[in-house]
Amino acid sequence: MAKLYFRYGAMNSGKSTALLQAAYNYEERGQRVLLAKPDTDTRGDDQIVSRLGVTRRTDFLVGAGDDLAAVFSAARQGVRDETGQELACLLVDEAQFLSAAQVDDLLRIAVLDDIPVLAYGIRTDFQTRAFDGAARLFEVSHSLEELKTICRCGRKAMFNARLIDGAYVFDGDQVAIDGATVAYEPLCGSCYLEESGGRLA
């Protein structure tokens, strides 16, 4: 039986880079993979974008109301039709943006279809609240692996602070994709509390 893996970390912990490396490793051995991400992540449109500058087009995007199992099944059939190969792995970037039901589909793909699923994402938002997809991944994944990064002070970062035009903010919508005015900084608990004035949510 294949497994569902959740590899998580704060911003800048190398999640997308690790996903692209995993895809490369499979393909170097002649195996076919599918790459996906929720369409909530508009950074790079249909690309998986690593902060190191490496990008790769996804095989499919997952919309908020999509039946992930059906979208996956169609993409999997496309692999068979195009290459004659069976699929070796499904890799999902920004998995925190999936719904709980879509994460359940990932588990079914791993267990019932016997295809390993490697999901990458962050645990909590800028207010330290769990994303629905991340919370469900913690509940049902076979394997959890933290990808670590460091805070500006050198300690392990665990929170994602949001900055708008360079100023820390602690109110707003749960999702704001980084870009021209919005940025994120990984912080340890001490630095996060210092910037938030002791506030956690």
Side-chain angles (χ1 to χ4, degrees), residues 71-88:
V71 175
F72 165 77
S73 181
R76 180 185 185 190
Q77 186 60 49
V79 169
R80 284 187 189 136
D81 293 345
E82 176 189 330
T83 68
Q85 284 184 285
E86 284 298 322
L87 189 67

Side-chain angles (χ1 to χ4, degrees), residues 8-14 145-150 156-157:
Y8 66 95
M11 300 291 285
N12 300 325
S13 60
E145 179 185 348
E146 184 177 15
L147 302 177
K148 298 176 179 66
T149 192
I150 59 169
K156 177 186 147 190

Side-chain angles (χ1 to χ4, degrees), residues 28-91:
E28 187 181 38
R29 288 157 182 81
Q31 297 179 323
R32 185 69 168 84
V33 300
L34 286 174
L35 278 65
K37 73 172 187 175
D39 65 6
T40 306
D41 177 24
T42 56
R43 194 170 43 104
D45 296 320
D46 64 350
Q47 303 269 334
I48 292 176
V49 180
S50 161
R51 293 185 194 281
L52 292 181
V54 181
T55 63
R56 178 168 166 176
R57 187 175 303 279
T58 61
D59 295 291
F60 64 93
L61 295 173
V62 182
D66 284 353
D67 178 336
L68 191 151
V71 175
F72 165 77
S73 181
R76 180 185 185 190
Q77 186 60 49
V79 169
R80 284 187 189 136
D81 293 345
E82 176 189 330
T83 68
Q85 284 184 285
E86 284 298 322
L87 189 67
C89 182
L90 171 62
L91 298 128

Side-chain angles (χ1 to χ4, degrees), residues 134-183:
R136 190 63 178 148
L137 281 159
F138 273 103
E139 292 169 341
V140 301
S141 294
H142 295 93
S143 174
L144 301 170
E145 179 185 348
E146 184 177 15
L147 302 177
K148 298 176 179 66
T149 192
I150 59 169
C151 177
R152 64 189 181 201
C153 69
R155 295 188 195 105
K156 177 186 147 190
M158 59 184 289
F159 296 119
N160 305 296
R162 179 182 290 170
L163 297 94
I164 296 181
D165 294 324
Y168 290 97
V169 295
F170 298 91
D171 292 301
D173 293 337
Q174 185 177 47
V175 177
I177 304 302
D178 51 349
T181 60
V182 178

